[in-house]
Amino acid sequence: MRSAPDAVDVHWDPARALPDSDPTRRDLFLSLGAFVETCLIVAAGAGLPVRAEVAVDRTALRAARLVPAPAVYESPFTPEAVRRRRCARGGYAPGALDPAVLAALTALGADLRQVPTRSLVGPLAEADRWMFGTPEVVAELRDWMRLSPRHPRYHLDGLTDRAMAMSRVEAAGLAAMIGPRAYPVTRRLGGPVLLAAASKGLLRYDGTVLVLVGSAVTPEAVIEQGRTLLRVWLALSERGLAVHPLSQLLDCAATSTALAARLGLAPDESPLAVFRTGRPLREPVRSARIPASQV
Ligand SMILES: Cc1cc2nc3c(=O)[nH]c(=O)nc-3n(C[C@H](O)[C@H](O)[C@H](O)COP(=O)(O)O)c2cc1C
């Protein structure tokens, strides 16, 4: 974020983007939208009248400007709700999403399609095989994952073994298989199949996966969908429900196309975010955040 006279600009850092895992920048713009919505909710909580002008400038790497508004942003959500929101990547209690909750989410402006968890066991395995079998994607994963507390950035950012609900042994095994020297061998020996098998249990329960559907024709449209996604996650969180994004289902072209076909999407509609939701069996671990002084 950068302060301009009478505005705060929201930029992105290209060094923290994932060009190989997210070549269309879908997740980048969704995340920026989620961040903009979070800023508006926090500003409203502080009584500051702020609105967002969403306009992407790819040269300046700017996604939006937060500017003074005539009135405080209206939102049903509070900064406390932002603090409470969690991603949970471990086990969930069985049970499909209550239709009344789905109706409440739709009322927030989200086009959400519901898919039973078990029906995505095969597609998730396929997407994971693609993910672990693609060297450029594995390199980005390796950079972003924090598989040991000894990692120098363990408490700063990235996805830790604890946030991924992995045991120390599982984390050490994964680190050994995708390490820069071991990975070419792992890949030749069929490691991606083994690694994908590890996540098979993730969807083997009776639960709900939600797919956010929308237009991806412009980056601004995707940013707006990211704002909606954050509202949906907060609304679920307020009901004690966590989310677990499974973006590899969209990053892998084959599973993304199959999902769009299964949902009967029109040519101008895309699956933008896929996540399971439910009541986590254990209190999830929040990801580390870079302290403001080090941003
Ligand atoms: C658009 C988007 C896509 C995401 N995709 C994934 C994903 O595929 N796998 C995953 O584990 N987390 C995914 N996440 C979750 C982020 O890793 C997580 O929200 C972030 O690290 C903040 O952590 P917290 O929710 O634990 O506080 C995604 C988040 C967003 C906004």
Side-chain angles (χ1 to χ4, degrees):
M1 287 220 285
R2 289 187 203 149
S3 296
D6 232 14
V8 175
D9 291 349
V10 178
H11 290 257
W12 70 89
D13 178 353
R16 298 173 72 82
L18 302 169
D20 292 304
S21 331
D22 184 31
T24 64
R25 302 191 173 198
R26 181 200 69 237
D27 279 350
L28 173 70
F29 291 125
L30 284 175
S31 303
L32 286 161
F35 179 71
V36 165
E37 188 68 13
T38 303
C39 289
L40 292 179
I41 294 169
V42 172
L48 296 172
V50 173
R51 66 185 174 84
E53 279 176 2
V54 173
V56 171
D57 182 334
R58 286 179 187 264
T59 315
L61 307 176
R62 192 177 62 225
R65 316 193 90 155
L66 304 175
V67 296
V72 169
Y73 182 61
E74 269 186 49
S75 169
F77 305 110
T78 60
E80 184 46 33
V82 169
R83 260 188 296 272
R84 271 200 313 266
R85 183 198 65 75
R86 290 285 187 280
C87 282
R89 300 176 181 85
Y92 283 20
L97 187 69
D98 179 347
V101 175
L102 186 61
L105 302 178
T106 307
L108 295 167
D111 179 355
L112 290 164
R113 314 290 170 93
Q114 208 173 338
V115 184
T117 37
R118 287 184 194 277
S119 71
L120 288 172
V121 170
L124 185 66
E126 183 180 354
D128 279 346
R129 278 197 303 277
W130 165 83
M131 184 168 74
F132 289 116
T134 311
E136 298 79 11
V137 173
V138 169
E140 288 181 348
L141 267 180
R142 197 186 290 131
D143 271 2
W144 191 235
M145 289 197 297
R146 310 280 178 257
L147 293 170
S148 154
R150 286 195 305 274
H151 191 289
R153 297 186 68 85
Y154 194 81
H155 299 289
L156 274 182
D157 60 8
L159 211 45
T160 63
D161 50 348
R162 292 177 64 224
M164 287 187 284
M166 287 180 137
S167 70
R168 280 285 140 79
V169 174
E170 287 167 333
L174 178 58
M177 285 177 86
I178 68 164
R181 275 192 297 171
Y183 177 68
V185 180
T186 302
R187 187 162 172 253
R188 256 200 326 276
L189 297 182
V193 174
L194 211 74
L195 290 166
S199 65
K200 269 196 167 158
L202 209 62
L203 298 176
R204 284 221 170 103
Y205 68 99
D206 295 314
T208 296
V209 169
L210 291 176
V211 184
L212 176 71
V213 171
S215 159
V217 284
T218 62
E220 286 82 5
V222 181
I223 290 178
E224 291 300 343
Q225 291 290 340
R227 295 179 60 182
T228 305
L229 182 65
L230 195 269
R231 290 197 290 270
V232 166
W233 285 2
L234 291 179
L236 288 165
S237 164
E238 289 202 325
R239 292 164 173 83
L241 301 167
V243 298
H244 178 186
L246 303 165
S247 306
Q248 63 271 47
L249 283 166
L250 302 182
D251 300 332
C252 166
T255 52
S256 179
T257 307
L259 184 62
R262 172 182 174 167
L263 297 174
L265 300 190
D268 60 338
E269 292 176 323
S270 308
L272 294 171
V274 182
F275 52 93
R276 64 188 176 115
T277 185
R279 223 163 277 285
L281 296 176
R282 279 194 204 90
E283 177 67 17
V285 176
R286 192 166 185 261
S287 298
R289 299 291 194 278
I290 302 180
S293 58
Q294 291 184 41
V295 172

